[in-house]
Amino acid sequence: RKEVEQDPGPFNVPEGATVAFNCTYSNSASQSFFWYRQDCRKEPKLLMSVYSSGNEDGRFTAQLNRASQYISLLIRDSKLSDSATYLCVVNGDYSSASKIIFGSGTRLSIRP
Amino acid sequence: EPEVTQTPSHQVTQMGQEVILRCVPISNHLYFYWYRQILGQKVEFLVSFYNNEISEKSEIFDDQFSVERPDGSNFTLKIRSTKLEDSAMYFCASSGQGAHSTFGSGTRLTVV
């Protein structure tokens, strides 16, 4: 099983739709979780951290399910500008940078 | 918003040559990182640096690679005797204590 696994997509949805991505991780001791967004040939940018209680930032909602070892990202009322690759990032150990594992990313394309 | 700055944005080098990739982390950050992303693949951890020394490195970061913080602001990655397979996007990142990483815009290295 991959350490961090994401559906590569692409997800192709119309503007205004709701879309959800899941990400699974293999290390049950993982400590912290993030969603990053990466535009084509650009650097990853933090979209949001993922907290145990779940958290929301505008149209974006992140959830963590420790029992099933997955995190999710929900995007409501999608915009054309949401088109990007969404990276799931899992930190297995606060003290260890090498335990920061990136998923391969899920490509999202929003069509008019 | 504070930024991580990387130069050059694109570097073309001949196989066997040495390259130095430069980064200026965010000024009050303590932890510095280099990541690599081969085109179409996932972001991979190379090395972390704290308190003027390497704190962790991955299997990718072999004797061909070295990092240095030559002064109070720059953080460099040196790649000796470059190979074709070193062609990738190299991202520098920095973070504060216990915080997420902020990435620079990357240096695209092309080895010909």
Side-chain angles (χ1 to χ4, degrees), chain A residues 40-73:
Chain A
C40 188
R41 295 177 178 264
K42 299 286 188 181
E43 75 275 24
K45 290 188 176 178
L46 180 71
L47 180 65
M48 57 198 304
S49 303
V50 186
Y51 302 120
S52 296
S53 54
N55 48 301
E56 188 173 309
D57 182 1
R59 298 181 293 108
F60 299 86
T61 301
Q63 296 279 351
L64 167 63
N65 185 320
R66 284 192 183 273
S68 301
Q69 294 179 211
Y70 77 82
I71 66 173
S72 64
L73 177 67

Side-chain angles (χ1 to χ4, degrees), chain A residues 11 18-22 72-75 106:
Chain A
F11 285 65
T18 295
V19 61
F21 312 133
N22 280 344
S72 64
L73 177 67
L74 181 78
I75 305 175
T106 298

Side-chain angles (χ1 to χ4, degrees), chain B residues 72-87:
Chain B
S73 60
N74 290 284
F75 179 50
T76 62
L77 174 68
K78 182 187 290 185
I79 310 175
R80 288 179 284 275
S81 190
T82 49
K83 305 187 286 280
L84 295 177
E85 53 265 38
D86 294 327
S87 295

